[in-house]
Amino acid sequence: MKNPDAIVIGAGVVGACCALSLTNAGLKVLIIDRGPVASGTTGAGEGNILVSDKGPGAELTLAIRSRDLWFDINTDIGGGFELEAKGGVVVSRSAKGISDLKKLSVLQKENGVEVIELDGAGLRKIEPYLSESVEYGVLYPGDAQCQPMLAAAQIIRAVKKRGGSFIQGENVIAINSNAGSLIGITTDKNNYSCPIVINATGTWAGEIAKLAGSHLPIMPRRGFILVTAPAPKIVHHKVYDADYVANVASSDADLQSSAVVEGTASGTILIGASRERVGFKADLDISILRQLARQAISLFPVLSSIGLLRAYRGFRPYAPDHLPVIGEDANISGLWHAAGHEGAGIGLSPATGELITAQITNQSTFIDPTPFSPKRFQGSEYVAV
Amino acid sequence: MHNVVIVGGGPAGLSAALTAAVAGAPVLLLDSNPRLGGQYWRTPADNFGDQNENHFDLATGLKLINSVKAQSNIQVLSGAQIWSASHKDGVSTLRVIYQGSEKIINTGNLILATGAYDRSLPFPGWDIPGVMTPGGVQSLIKGHGVVAGKRVVVAGSGPFLLPVAAGLVKSGADVVELLEANKSWRWASSILVLLENLSKIKEGFYYIEAISKGKVRARFGQAVVGAYAGENGELESVDIAKIDRNFKIKKVRNIKCDVAAIGWGFTADTSLAGALGCKQVVAKDESVVVLIDSKQQTSITGVFAAGEITGIGGSELSMIEGEIAGKSAAKFVGCAVDISRSDLIIRAKKQRFAAALIKAYPIKSGWRSWLDEQTVLCRCEEVDLADLKDSIVELGATDSRTAKLLTRCGMGLCQGRICGRFVVDLVADQLNISPTDIDRIAAVSRPIITPIPLGVLAAGE
Ligand SMILES: Cc1cc2nc3c(=O)[nH]c(=O)nc-3n(C[C@H](O)[C@H](O)[C@H](O)COP(=O)(O)OP(=O)(O)OC[C@H]3O[C@@H](n4cnc5c(N)ncnc54)[C@H](O)[C@@H]3O)c2cc1C
Ligand SMILES: Cc1cc2nc3c(=O)[nH]c(=O)nc-3n(C[C@H](O)[C@H](O)[C@H](O)COP(=O)(O)OP(=O)(O)OC[C@H]3O[C@@H](n4cnc5c(N)ncnc54)[C@H](O)[C@@H]3O)c2cc1C
């Protein structure tokens, strides 16, 4: 493609959504990835689009907006990525957990999230196989899911149909600027000149920032997911223990897990995911699989006889304050970052694309973008906590 | 002295166990089948009559099985399935499902002899009940004494079609067609190899005699390229084509049958070796096998491999490889034993035979032209050729991993054991490239070797 208006580095779900939103705003977009579509974390995660796991704040506002935008995108590009408004069920079994969950759901409700409190009988009406030990839970009808790889691929297909292009197999090795303004990028194969570049390289976004002389403290947080053999319909929603919410916000490096259990259209059940900070450690850690299995069985005892078929892992991109980075680089104008969405990148990507596009095209934004700005790390020796 | 742990109770594993034990090493032999023997000597349940006459060589197998059972320093765990394994700092950890719970076995001396399974190729209708693999048909006959059907077509390529056809004839089935896709003259170029492997010729004649009793005549250069179901949803007829040397269809006829046993040789089951981290390579027949040195040692010191997982070559090669691996492992744990010159000579002879087999029974790329858009590729997840093409043309997949993740092809219950190998070829075909070794090896990578019940997993520490 000659003279793109904008280049998106990264063909994960975040890059795809940025590219679609820019394209729909009238820009000619070129997407570049060193690998095939969704070959990063997008191809190694789950497809939960959750509003249930976030407390009030900027991220919840982003999540609510994003959830709705997913359904708009579904209509816009003609679907094909298994989007389903499935609903989430969060349960708790301890007195403290229940009272925390109650408080959280009240706050969420005030912020526009639909919540329905359920007692044991109510829970078992919608989840007949749920453990008898569960007596309290909250149903979040807004929670949805999609198949993230298909989502990225279908969105990029739409971008191409609308005049954009996608080049794979090129590694970006330099960000070129002149007097603080972006002028283009260099890959291991080509040079591209372009005034606008979006860094959507997820867990590797810090490396791109470094090429530009900036500092972006994005680090990997490993997660495992279990996939069972096809089973009869046992789980109807996304069901998880309230501990999960505590885990998501945690900064503890040690292993944490709280199984989110869900059935898929093909009959397999997904159980995910663990969270631990061990760098890019690739080996299959059996003790984590055992822990996830235990937690899933404690929610649904009948899972005990279902076979584990596969397990896979991915590396969530996270920032020290657990908020995504969405905004213009602190040093180079024209370089934009859209990365660091941790365990919510699938859910948050459409709103991320919208927020980036609005700022690039000088439109008003639906939310104050300041909390997400990459400038928040500038100057500070921001160390991971 | 430390145990030698052996996985696989087929010709290779049994030979390895006996050899290592006789050399003085205590052996633990693990096998997932309820009875020893592996694929080749799949023995019937004890209460089922004598099957000896259905098998050219069951006597050798029974003798070996009995010697292993009689050897006091061999402990056998049948029905033990390894679901996961890893290797670290000289120690292999095997996680085994045995009698409904999990056992962990750590060892510094391991022999892998996990064998092979049938290789399938897709064609329109191959997912109809009644279309089977020869191995599937044979294990029904050998293991359960069941004749799979009345009018049977045996087709595909390779010498294994003969024993299957013979077994069917002896069990009273009507083998209506025996079809070898390659031409009969292919063996001519390997006549010297054949002569030095006379036992193989004998085996061939044994089966040919058995088959001719059923008035079955083998036809060459023909293949089953389509299958049709009757009203009950089961196989009713197949299309048989004359094919050229490249396997492209020349002329088609239809024939009624209720079972079609179709096989294209074997695929080594390297999942366990892969989980341990043993280096795998792509063999001449494009199958993925475990790399070994002359002592049968894999890329990991103290981990040996023998039999079909090092390359497809039949039971005799498996046995000699097993013996050599048994000696190597026994020596590794301190026994005074050495690989002899004659071991190496026998192995080399059998290897030449294996190489000749691969040359005589090539699988040519023309099979890809038998497929239509609706031909199912992944039977577990019901993915057809159109879906696969869509993932490449429309969704931009440029490798088999991406195509797999976008279509779920190969992600079902069998974990790509059936379709993984040919999907790599079909993806490359669409993209007009040749598959890389990395693609082929990735397609057989299965860190979870067999499904484990979540309850058993959860109970482990
Ligand atoms: C186990 C697990 C479960 C998860 N579950 C969920 C969930 O249920 N819901 C949810 O919302 N999120 C979930 N996530 C998180 C989600 O997967 C991520 O937040 C999201 O995929 C990040 O997308 P991305 O586009 O930013 O990054 P990626 O998908 O990683 O894309 C980045 C791309 O950049 C490319 N790239 C990197 N460097 C370069 C370079 N120098 N040159 C060219 N290209 C480059 C990479 O090849 C890659 O394709 C989960 C994550 C994990 C690990
Ligand atoms: C169905 C079938 C029938 C065959 N019939 C003939 C024939 O008639 N004539 C002929 O010449 N060749 C035949 N072959 C070829 C045959 O595979 C070899 O000649 C011979 O059996 C190979 O011996 P092996 O010891 O390498 O493997 P196998 O005999 O395949 O033995 C491997 C053993 O390892 C076990 N195993 C594998 N993975 C695990 C695990 N994770 N945990 C525990 N145990 C495990 C298996 O259950 C099996 O018992 C046949 C092959 C197949 C697949």
Side-chain angles (χ1 to χ4, degrees), chain B residues 5 35 116 120 122 154 156 217 240 273 305 352 450:
Chain B
V5 177
R35 289 176 298 277
S120 295
V154 177
R217 218 186 80 220
I240 292 173
R352 281 194 290 277
T450 192

Side-chain angles (χ1 to χ4, degrees), chain B residues 135-174:
Chain B
V137 170
Q138 203 188 35
S139 64
L140 278 181
I141 303 173
K142 281 191 189 173
H144 308 279
V146 177
V147 183
K150 289 202 179 96
R151 283 176 62 85
V152 187
V153 171
V154 177
S157 185
F160 181 45
L161 300 179
L162 290 180
V164 173
L168 283 163
V169 167
K170 287 202 169 181
S171 313
D174 186 5

Side-chain angles (χ1 to χ4, degrees), chain B residues 192-256:
Chain B
L192 287 177
V193 178
L194 266 182
L195 287 176
E196 69 171 6
N197 284 280
L198 271 178
S199 62
K200 281 289 163 191
I201 298 191
K202 245 169 53 199
E203 183 178 347
F205 278 122
Y206 172 87
Y207 290 127
I208 288 168
E209 196 196 321
I211 291 165
S212 52
K213 282 198 188 125
K215 305 202 171 47
V216 185
R217 218 186 80 220
R219 293 181 217 269
F220 295 87
Q222 300 199 17
V224 171
V225 297
Y228 304 91
E231 268 171 14
N232 59 1
E234 284 172 25
L235 185 65
E236 190 177 69
S237 72
V238 293
D239 278 345
I240 292 173
K242 283 197 171 139
I243 54 176
D244 67 13
R245 310 161 171 235
N246 244 333
F247 286 18
K248 287 249 166 73
I249 297 176
K250 291 198 293 196
K251 207 174 144 208
V252 181
R253 64 193 160 102
N254 184 274
I255 177 164
K256 293 244 174 307

Side-chain angles (χ1 to χ4, degrees), chain A residues 22 25 27 356-363:
Chain A
L22 288 166
L27 278 75
I356 285 275
T357 303
Q359 292 182 77
I360 288 176
T361 57
N362 289 318
Q363 306 289 310

